[in-house]
Amino acid sequence: MNQEKQTYYIDVASGEILQNPAESSPSFKLYATPAEIDQLKSYYSENSSADFQTFQRAQVPFREYHHDAENKAYDDSMRKIYGMIYLLGDEEAKRHIDENGILKDNHSDNPESVENFK
């Protein structure tokens, strides 16, 4: 079942995935199948859960950020999101991610996994 890629626009901050660009916020252009968009949405679901856990964890003031499993889960979910954007995005999206070093992985247990998106 070979699905044809369609054009989508994603607002990274809100997680909104649209077929027309949002005028009110910057977005990345993606070329993806519906199945790939479903995968990206599942990464946003992971991210939402991780974000809530970091909020709860923030109530413990003496744990350092980089030694915190909840923050690592959030960071990992953001890397998955940006990895998919890199994989499916247009040249402008790829350039933005490369120039800002977004997929440079400083503390993952498996740094090669991030590079696999490229």
Side-chain angles (χ1 to χ4, degrees):
M1 186 160 91
N2 188 10
Q3 297 181 356
E4 192 172 316
K5 292 193 182 246
Q6 299 173 11
T7 301
Y8 296 90
Y9 298 86
I10 182 168
D11 178 335
V12 175
S14 72
E16 236 180 341
I17 301 171
L18 307 167
Q19 290 198 307
N20 295 310
E23 291 182 25
S24 61
S25 64
S27 58
F28 291 116
K29 183 189 260 188
L30 307 177
Y31 303 101
T33 65
E36 290 168 328
I37 291 300
D38 287 343
Q39 181 65 51
L40 185 55
K41 287 178 181 178
S42 78
Y43 290 158
Y44 266 101
S45 180
E46 274 180 42
N47 182 259
S48 179
S49 175
D51 189 37
F52 182 71
Q53 291 173 356
T54 62
F55 171 76
Q56 290 178 317
R57 204 271 337 131
Q59 309 312 309
V60 182
F62 48 84
R63 259 176 48 201
E64 295 180 21
Y65 182 91
H66 61 284
H67 291 138
D68 189 332
E70 293 87 354
N71 286 332
K72 184 179 179 324
Y74 177 83
D75 291 349
D76 289 347
S77 68
M78 287 305 297
R79 277 197 241 7
K80 287 179 185 178
I81 289 167
Y82 275 104
M84 283 287 291
I85 292 170
Y86 192 91
L87 184 66
L88 303 172
D90 64 1
E91 289 306 311
E92 185 178 334
K94 288 177 170 67
R95 184 173 43 256
H96 175 82
I97 290 168
D98 281 338
E99 286 175 357
N100 289 290
I102 294 170
L103 290 179
K104 290 200 185 308
D105 190 21
N106 298 327
H107 56 276
S108 173
D109 295 334
N110 185 7
E112 293 81 33
S113 66
V114 173
E115 288 301 315
N116 289 336
F117 281 116
K118 293 186 176 184

